[in-house]
Amino acid sequence: LQMASGKVDHLTEIDRVLCISDLHVDHNDNMEWLNNHTLDETAEGITLQENDLVVVAGDISHELERIEQALGYLQRQGSSILFVPGNHEAWLHSSELENGDSCEKLERIIDMCQEMGIHTNPVLVGNTEERPYGLWIAPLQSWYDGTLSVPGLEDLCDDFGRWPWVDFIRCRWKNFPPMGGRNKRIPNGLTEHFLEQNQAVFDSMEDAMKKSPDSPFACPNLMTVSHFLPNQQCLPDWVDVDSSEFNREEWLGHGGGGISAKFAKVAGTKLLDEQIRNHNLTPMIQRQLHVFGHSHRPKDFEKEKIRYIHHPLGKPREREIFMVNPKVDYLPVWDTKSGEIQGESVIRFWEEKGGGVEALRERMLKSKRKTRYGKGYKLKKESNHTTENAR
């Protein structure tokens, strides 16, 4: 994906920055949620305002028409929108699978966003006399490469080559063949390709900041945004974010270890964390946040001076069984008149707010589950609650 060379936008009138991800409006309930949460007087929860910037960290839909409809809803009140595509946006229709290319599909989505006035390039909000707490927001492209795989869980990945992960069925990458070996169908070199494109984002911000010492672009606060996870601590079942070792016995007691282990392979890339920690703006940045999507398991924690935030809408069933907050709303993360908006720490929402594994199992038993492949849900030792196949 090619971002417009050197393009940055300064949005001087923004008061709030809010985030959300994984809208998945292919589910009618989710499109209805978005409709209800973007109206004016009848809006549920937070009412979006003209002076808001909403950051959407990927996975609106694989259908261009639905992406356009969803983004149009978000623009209803005049709010500004910044969007980073996710893996669902890269899915091709069956008629495109033989000759199509997911890179070209993503380019079409970026073009549509630019025509709609949706931001896909870096923006600076505030940093004015009236709004002194400025924030750079840098949209970053990425994919997954198996580098977030968890040591000690290899035995749970023996069937990874047969795992029905939909990206392997619906995506095509002409220039990035499958890795083979342990990582099977993961495209080889795709993460490096996207991270190379990201360098243009950091270069454009650096150029703007260095124009002069009193430049309005000289801002020490940065929020990077990706769809994919940047480190293992962002994985759904990594409980101790200060630890570099995964506690299999204690953290996989819910019965979905196989899904957790395989999802780690397709969750993201450690190269992304290296990039957001070692870019050319690092010496100038005093406060940094990173917003991501993809796992549908809310997170909000601090690790080595970066705050990591995952705030998904998720799928209707995930809200029903408390994998995601049933009362989820946009999450305010920054105010240009007062600074960062601190949030409550979240590691495993279903455990901390949903009553733990027994309450989860009880809700799952009550919930009728049908997968994309038409099979009914049965609760068993390998319960598929950590991630859905189509994530």
Side-chain angles (χ1 to χ4, degrees), residues 14 139 187:
I14 296 298

Side-chain angles (χ1 to χ4, degrees), residues 117-240:
I118 304 296
H119 296 280
T120 58
N121 291 290
V123 302
L124 172 65
V125 298
N127 216 41
T128 65
E129 185 175 350
E130 184 181 355
R131 297 174 175 85
Y133 292 88
L135 179 69
W136 275 110
I137 305 173
L140 303 178
Q141 302 294 335
S142 58
W143 202 254
Y144 44 79
D145 57 7
T147 56
L148 299 189
S149 299
V150 180
L153 303 186
E154 293 85 355
D155 59 303
L156 301 178
C157 296
D158 289 342
D159 60 344
F160 182 70
R162 302 185 300 275
W163 191 41
W165 183 250
V166 180
D167 292 356
F168 298 151
I169 303 168
R170 298 289 297 274
C171 294
R172 293 291 184 273
W173 309 99
K174 289 183 178 179
N175 299 318
F176 306 97
M179 286 185 178
R182 287 185 176 181
N183 291 325
K184 306 293 182 181
R185 294 171 287 175
I186 294 176
N188 188 27
L190 186 58
T191 54
E192 291 84 353
H193 167 73
F194 281 136
L195 267 63
E196 182 179 346
Q197 301 300 317
N198 291 343
Q199 189 56 48
V201 174
F202 292 111
D203 289 345
S204 63
M205 291 189 294
E206 181 184 27
D207 291 344
M209 291 177 73
K210 288 185 174 181
K211 283 183 177 179
S212 69
D214 57 350
S215 167
F217 291 100
C219 173
N221 306 307
L222 171 65
M223 183 171 79
T224 48
V225 184
S226 67
H227 178 65
F228 295 96
L229 284 61
N231 56 48
Q232 291 177 324
Q233 285 73 21
C234 290
L235 290 168
D237 286 315
W238 202 288
V239 176
D240 184 355

Side-chain angles (χ1 to χ4, degrees), residues 83-98:
F83 175 55
V84 176
N87 54 312
H88 278 240
E89 277 76 35
W91 290 4
L92 303 176
H93 290 285
S94 57
S95 61
E96 302 173 298
L97 291 176
E98 184 174 354

Side-chain angles (χ1 to χ4, degrees), residues 16 45 48 59 70 121 125 134 163 168 181 194 215 221 235 244 246 254 263 297 311 313 336 382:
R16 293 188 302 181
L48 296 182
D59 275 10
N121 291 290
V125 298
W163 191 41
F168 298 151
F194 281 136
S215 167
N221 306 307
L235 290 168
S244 60
F246 189 85
H254 49 62
F263 176 72
R297 301 297 176 260
H311 190 72
L313 175 61
T336 56
E382 179 72 359

